[in-house]
């Protein structure tokens, strides 16, 4: 007997499956890949002992997402590790702007922008729980008043002015580097929301990395599902909902809107609405096996797990120019790049000095170029000699990333452009965005609110909606 079938085992598919299993339903998960986890996979790519995250590596949402907080990570031996700085941004002349976990230390280094940084971040930190509740909601509930009060005066400034009210190049670049995680034109409302959310979390619970890599988080979710009697099948691509167990009452789809249209018998009206859903620029990724620390010119960068790179001087304007070109479908000569060095947070990730380094560049959707040379050159410019430390490497174009995981259409790792409109109306304009017109079938991927990143809340909200229809209740 199967009560619920879940297609896709990304964090949202697993969150949906676990929420249903916790409510007493018999759940079966079907995953196309041989390995479960979707964006949460960790593999030994080049050296059998060195673990690389294939997609997500850094988890600002894990300590704050209500669903992720419900996971017994510690019971399963998974510890969240933090580097002293959440993120950093190299600038002209070799010096970097650094977002230390400690707000005071960050402000002290930002000179004339120090107090502006504090007055931006501190009020957000003081009502962080409410801000997270708002941003990780279905976007269809009454926003907590404290969150609105903190965000209302800040959002317009950051949505309209690059770098907000910050005036120094260091402060403006540091904040713009975070805003660019939203992938798209800058400034914008969506980018402002990303900057304010991720920016303040750097100084509260930080941007942690799970010991052993992201796959450890997927393994905990899978173990909890199986403990409750659920079954997970890998290496099974679902091409039609008819392939799923016939006796199921609920179907959860952790898939892209494009895949939803391919595998589900949708009515013409809904298909028309879905066809208006827009995908954003792509990501092109490089993995390196590196001998020793990255030789950054500013050696303090070795204390930050995440580094943002853009342009030649690293200015906020260069980040925006690169994002503008990418959004227009042009490969920037020096695109915005995120580099992650997990061993700065978890020294055990480096084995006999050999460490995994991960980086991706924002590129046009479906771009087919291998990003290795571009990413290498950008790191080398801030860390002369980096190339000599590389033992092994591989590049994955945006098009290849899209083939690797059909949720990342054309390499769009957000599974849908992150405009303000598409953040709220995701994937179509409906009060319940999870419910599809196919009876008993819900979409639960990051193409639903609250959108991308590893928080599991799209899966949780979709499962909660399904349970409600069954007269069952769930709460986090
Ligand atoms: C390179 C990269 C780096 C990233 N870095 C970060 C980061 O550091 N931090 C962060 O928070 N987020 C990061 N992300 C984003 C994050 O991984 C995603 O937002 C998240 O994984 C989305 O979860 P999901 O469950 O919606 O989809 P996914 O994780 O994409 O999972 C979907 C799963 O469904 C399966 N599937 C799809 N269709 C079918 C089908 N028809 N039949 C069977 N199975 C199917 C897929 O194979 C896949 O396993 C990154 C993504 C990428 C690609």
């Amino acid at each position: 007997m199967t009560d619920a079938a879940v297609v896709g085992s990304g964090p949202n598919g697993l969150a949906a499956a676990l929420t249903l299993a916790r409510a007493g339903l018999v759940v079966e998960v079907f995953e196309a890949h041989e390995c479960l986890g979707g964006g949460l996979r960790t593999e030994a790519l080049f050296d059998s002992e060195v673990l690389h995250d294939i997609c997500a590596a850094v988890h600002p949402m894990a300590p704050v997402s209500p669903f992720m907080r419900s996971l017994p990570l510690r019971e399963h031996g998974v510890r969240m590790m933090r580097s002293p700085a959440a993120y950093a941004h190299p600038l002209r002349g070799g010096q970097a702007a650094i977002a230390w976990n400690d707000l005071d230390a960050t402000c002290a280094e930002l000179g004339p922008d120090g107090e502006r940084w504090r007055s931006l971040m501190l009020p957000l930190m003081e009502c962080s729980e409410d801000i997270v509740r708002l941003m990780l909601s279905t976007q269809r509930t009454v926003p907590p008043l404290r969150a609105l009060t903190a965000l209302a005066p800040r959002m317009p400034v950051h949505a309209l002015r690059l770098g907000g009210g910050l005036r120094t190049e260091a402060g403006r670049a540091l904040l713009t580097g975070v805003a660019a995680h939203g992938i798209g034109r800058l400034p914008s409302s969506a980018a402002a929301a990303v900057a304010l959310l991720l920016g303040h979390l750097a100084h509260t619970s930080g941007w942690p990395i799970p010991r052993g890599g992201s796959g450890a988080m997927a393994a905990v979710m899978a173990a909890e599902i199986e403990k409750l009697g659920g079954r997970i099948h890998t290496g099974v691509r679902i091409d039609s909902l008819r392939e799923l167990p016939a006796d199921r009452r609920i179907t959860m789809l952790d898939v892209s809107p494009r895949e939803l249209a391919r595998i589900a018998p949708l009515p013409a009206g809904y298909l028309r609405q879905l066809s208006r859903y827009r995908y954003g620029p792509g990501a092109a990724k490089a993995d390196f096996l590196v001998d020793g620390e990255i030789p950054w010119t500013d050696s303090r960068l070795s204390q930050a797990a995440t580094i943002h790179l853009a342009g030649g001087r690293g200015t906020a304007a260069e980040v925006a120019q690169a994002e503008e070109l990418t959004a227009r479908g042009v490969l920037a000569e020096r695109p915005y790049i995120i580099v992650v060095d997990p061993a700065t947070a978890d020294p055990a990730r480096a084995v006999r000095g050999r460490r995994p380094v991960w980086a991706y560049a924002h590129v046009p959707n479906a771009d087919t170029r291998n990003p290795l040379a571009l990413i290498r050159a950008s790191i080398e410019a801030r860390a002369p000699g980096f190339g000599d430390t590389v033992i092994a490497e591989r590049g994955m174009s945006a098009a290849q990333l899209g083939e690797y995981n059909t949720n990342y259409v054309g390499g769009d790792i957000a599974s849908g452009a992150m405009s303000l409109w598409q953040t709220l109306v995701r994937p179509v304009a409906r009060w319940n965005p999870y419910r599809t017109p196919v009876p008993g079938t819900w979409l639960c991927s990051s193409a639903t609110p609250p959108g991308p990143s590893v928080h599991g809340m799209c899966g949780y909200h979709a499962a909660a909606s399904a349970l409600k229809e069954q007269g069952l209740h769930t709460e986090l």
Side-chain angles (χ1 to χ4, degrees), residues 271-296:
L271 275 174
R272 254 195 316 278
Q273 278 184 291
L274 271 191
S275 70
R276 290 195 283 270
Y277 188 70
R278 287 188 308 106
Y279 293 95
K285 185 171 183 256
D287 290 292
F288 301 102
L289 177 64
V290 171
D291 190 7
E293 287 188 2
I294 301 178
W296 298 111

Side-chain angles (χ1 to χ4, degrees), residues 435-453:
R435 186 87 167 80
T436 78
V438 180
T441 304
W442 280 260
L443 185 66
C444 70
S445 69
S446 61
T448 61
S453 186

Side-chain angles (χ1 to χ4, degrees), residues 30-36 233-237:
F30 300 87
E31 167 55 50
H33 273 266
E34 294 301 332
C35 171
L36 63 82
H233 311 276
T234 55
V236 184
R237 178 169 295 282

Side-chain angles (χ1 to χ4, degrees), residues 22-34:
R22 282 172 173 168
L25 272 57
V26 178
V27 178
E28 277 192 81
V29 181
F30 300 87
E31 167 55 50
H33 273 266
E34 294 301 332

Side-chain angles (χ1 to χ4, degrees), residues 233-254:
H233 311 276
T234 55
V236 184
R237 178 169 295 282
I238 299 300
D239 290 312
S240 160
L241 298 193
R242 284 193 301 271
E243 296 165 17
L244 297 171
D247 57 346
R248 72 192 191 281
R249 285 177 285 148
I250 293 173
T251 307
M252 285 283 149
L253 302 176
D254 182 14

Side-chain angles (χ1 to χ4, degrees), residues 6-14 30-33 35-41 53-61 181 214 236-240 254-256 259 262-263 283-285 306 338 340 358-360 401 404-408 411-415 444-447 451-456 458:
V6 179
V7 179
S9 71
N12 286 311
L14 294 175
F30 300 87
E31 167 55 50
H33 273 266
C35 171
L36 63 82
L40 286 179
R41 293 195 188 102
D53 291 313
I54 307 304
C55 300
V58 183
H59 297 279
M61 294 299 143
H181 276 245
S214 297
V236 184
R237 178 169 295 282
I238 299 300
D239 290 312
S240 160
D254 182 14
V255 306
S256 69
E259 186 76 343
R262 188 181 77 84
I263 66 176
K285 185 171 183 256
T306 301
I338 301 178
V340 172
W358 155 126
Y360 69 77
L401 201 56
Y404 169 74
N405 182 341
T406 52
N407 284 39
Y408 309 142
D412 171 4
I413 65 175
S415 208
C444 70
S445 69
S446 61
S453 186
V454 176
H455 43 62
C458 310

